[in-house]
Amino acid sequence: MPLSRRAFLGALAAAMPAAILIRHAHAAAVDDLAASPRILQALGEAVLPSELGRAGTLAAVSGFQRWIAGYRENVELVHGYGTSALGKSGPTPATRWAAQLDALDRTARAEGARSFATLPLERRREIVRRELKALKADRIGAVGRAPHVALALLAHWYDTPDATNRCYDVHIDRENCRPLAASSRKPLPLARVRA
Amino acid sequence: MSAFAKRTVIESDVCIIGSGISAAMVADRLARTTRGRIVVVEAGDEAPPLGQRYGLRGRFMDYGESPWPKDHLDGYEIDGPLQSRSMQVGGLAMHWGGVTPRFSPEDFRTRSMFGVGTDWPISYDDLDPFYQEAEELMGVAGEQGPASMDPRGKPFPMAPIPLTYNLGLLKEWTAKAGITMWSQPVAKNSRPYSGRAECCRYDTCSPICPIGAKYSPDFTFDRLRASKRITLYPRTLVRKLVLHDGSTRIASAQAVQRSARGAGTPVEFRAQTFVVAAGYVWSAHLLLLSASSRMPAGLGNRSGNVGKYVAGHRNQQAFISLPIRLFPGINGQHSLLTKQFMRSPAGKEYLRHDLRVWESTFDRGPRLTGDDGALMLGDDIMRDWRERTRTGVARVRAYYDVLPDRSSELTLDPARKNAWGDPLPRLAFRDAPESAALREHSVGVIQTLFQTMASAGGGTVIQREEDDARGWQDHPAGGCRMGDDPATSVVDKWGRAHDHENLFVVGAPTCVSAGCANGTLTFTALALRSAAEIAR
């Protein structure tokens, strides 16, 4: 019987130096998420606002996948003031998040569904709520430090200029290049139709 | 090819040690006003070129990665609250916020005006033309405040960064509290300036401007190098200054060109004049490392004051909820400023502070749990976020004057050494007793002010903070303070070491106190004033 990707990783663990193994584990998790995005997409539908619609949710999930693919371990982080201590990025969260997506799917199957993605939205949310409560999650936080993939997806999207614009219903377009002269006027309303 | 391939002795008229913002000012002025050979020696690496900064900003925003890779020397973890590990061409000002208030006239005369601290040997008026020169060199966009609070000899070189819609509303609010505020001066282009782009509100000024609209010293060094007016030696750590035999003049700077492997290549810089422009830590550190049998306490240190009187200031900060709708993110790093509190009130205990106001997202971000503690998902998070952002939050902050004690100091740490065996510095900030006694009063008055401001706008103080992490004080300076008396200071009013006629220390380390506003513009003005004396 062929080994699954994660079983293959487990077998590798015994045989490869840690640094190489971590690199491969990250790449494998990224490939895994890209190859089977249905659970992640279904999670996006459950946790992100419905006004994004299918296309908007897909775009948000794709952006999150790109974030995961771009993650680099052991890279120096921006250093703060008032200390000579330096920090580096930690181990990839991709492997943990991929496993959590599998766990969501397993839970759904255990409850009689074909998969997490086929559950009604409210049932998906119930499962996610249960997972987050078990982790004592109480804030959205930063993407890279999210203890659960659902929180990471939320953190990633809510940190976008699009999320801010939608919240305020105007074009703030923060952290994008905008004419200096326009900054004094009230931001223009979004020209869109709410779902 | 390495600049050292053919020789290990480098001669010049002026050798500038360090390549931060003060070094850039000195190099620029000497290049314009003299014909001398100028070399600049920098321990760190080159900064990434402008063309790479958009991508570096992206990695910073997405992943929190340092946008200035390789901007420090390994093995320099020190004991004490170091302002920053940054050590590269351009220094800390590669990632500064570009905020450029001047000190106030009162900052230079606290003893004679208020009976506390130490008067500087120069006045605000002495520094005014050099403030102006620094503002023109860097490109400062500013709004003239009321002349009684904000005196200046000439207009700002650029019109101010416009107040955002948010800051316009917040200015109206502070006026209700009787506070006159205006646009914070900044070294950011409100129009194309000096070959650099106009600011377009990327809003990541600190740590990185992706388009060069914010001034950083690499622009000056690039220009001076392109015109062959200076030679800059990166990756070259000066370990010691050496005296001439038989005189107190400095003969050479002994350095090592760092290599990826091994101890590096020894290099000797010989010059008529040496300028130590290495900031508040590494300037005093180098003088202490330069101890010899003739100067056992280090160079410039017959008074014993090298490394003493390290100065900074603390701040009180609050977040105030206001019943007005703000739209955070229009240009979040820009702020309002007032100098209304720079004069200590007559007949009351000493307190001077600045005051700045920003838009804020504090307590107005999306959240996972509602007020009832229930976990939200889907539309509930957005609905809750929209509801809570119907009102805005202002961030208010006051830097207040902290008078340094002599024991607020940098010393050599016998327990920690760099890769070449030189002791690293150890840092500790300590308030002068008179300042320590005033701390509680200062905090109380500023908190009362914040409460008054909140009430004037029908708002509420929702959070108070003090920036005193690990004993750190902000915008640090001092360590080689200037003065007329060689017994109580390290350099004279021009930055020339009392003990060595051809040795200058410039910028931050020469400050007598740190005032109560961001210090960089003052450091650069002092450096330009020193350069004027060097050129004479």
Side-chain angles (χ1 to χ4, degrees), chain B residues 310-357:
Chain B
V310 174
H313 38 235
R314 284 192 203 86
N315 72 66
Q316 283 287 311
Q317 176 165 280
F319 295 92
I320 298 176
S321 171
L322 293 164
I324 51 178
R325 184 128 211 253
L326 299 176
F327 300 94
I330 298 178
N331 192 7
Q333 293 208 3
H334 195 48
S335 76
L336 296 166
L337 162 80
T338 187
K339 295 188 171 186
Q340 194 166 323
F341 306 100
M342 289 291 190
R343 278 181 205 148
S344 190
K348 294 188 176 177
E349 287 180 280
Y350 177 76
L351 171 62
R352 299 172 57 247
H353 64 86
D354 78 346
L355 183 70
R356 290 173 67 188
V357 174

Side-chain angles (χ1 to χ4, degrees), chain B residues 132-277:
Chain B
Q132 186 73 32
E133 186 175 342
E135 288 164 343
E136 289 172 5
L137 282 174
M138 290 189 275
V140 168
E143 177 182 359
Q144 170 71 64
S148 61
M149 298 182 205
D150 192 27
R152 49 183 302 121
K154 291 182 183 174
F156 282 101
M158 272 185 281
I161 297 288
L163 292 187
T164 63
Y165 173 78
N166 298 324
L167 291 180
L169 295 178
L170 294 173
K171 185 177 176 181
E172 289 173 16
W173 159 57
T174 61
K176 289 181 193 166
I179 301 169
T180 304
M181 304 200 82
W182 58 94
S183 178
Q184 169 72 59
V186 287
K188 302 172 196 172
N189 294 346
S190 60
R191 60 175 168 81
Y193 188 89
S194 197
R196 293 181 290 111
E198 176 182 322
C199 170
C200 69
R201 297 190 275 150
Y202 271 115
D203 220 359
T204 53
C205 321
S206 177
I208 188 167
C209 172
I211 58 169
K214 179 193 75 175
Y215 174 79
S216 51
D218 57 315
F219 296 123
T220 296
F221 288 125
D222 287 350
R223 176 169 47 78
L224 294 175
R225 284 197 274 188
S227 63
K228 301 194 188 308
R229 279 302 286 121
I230 66 163
T231 307
L232 196 154
Y233 297 90
R235 297 182 60 78
T236 306
L237 173 69
V238 175
R239 298 180 57 201
K240 187 170 191 170
L241 298 172
V242 176
L243 289 173
H244 269 291
D245 288 340
S247 87
T248 56
R249 289 175 60 84
I250 308 301
S252 68
Q254 302 295 322
V256 58
Q257 186 189 23
R258 297 189 295 115
S259 67
R261 287 184 294 276
T265 308
V267 188
E268 178 176 318
F269 291 90
R270 296 176 186 162
Q272 296 300 309
T273 301
F274 288 87
V275 179
V276 179

Side-chain angles (χ1 to χ4, degrees), chain B residues 361-403:
Chain B
T361 56
F362 183 85
D363 197 39
R364 292 295 186 275
R367 59 184 188 175
L368 188 65
T369 53
D371 291 332
D372 59 358
L375 203 141
M376 298 181 289
L377 293 173
D379 292 340
D380 291 343
I381 295 177
M382 182 57 91
R383 193 179 300 117
D384 173 76
W385 193 18
R386 285 192 176 119
E387 186 60 34
R388 290 186 301 111
T389 51
R390 290 184 191 284
T391 58
V393 172
R395 172 188 169 209
V396 297
R397 193 191 63 198
Y399 282 122
Y400 63 94
D401 200 6
V402 175
L403 307 167

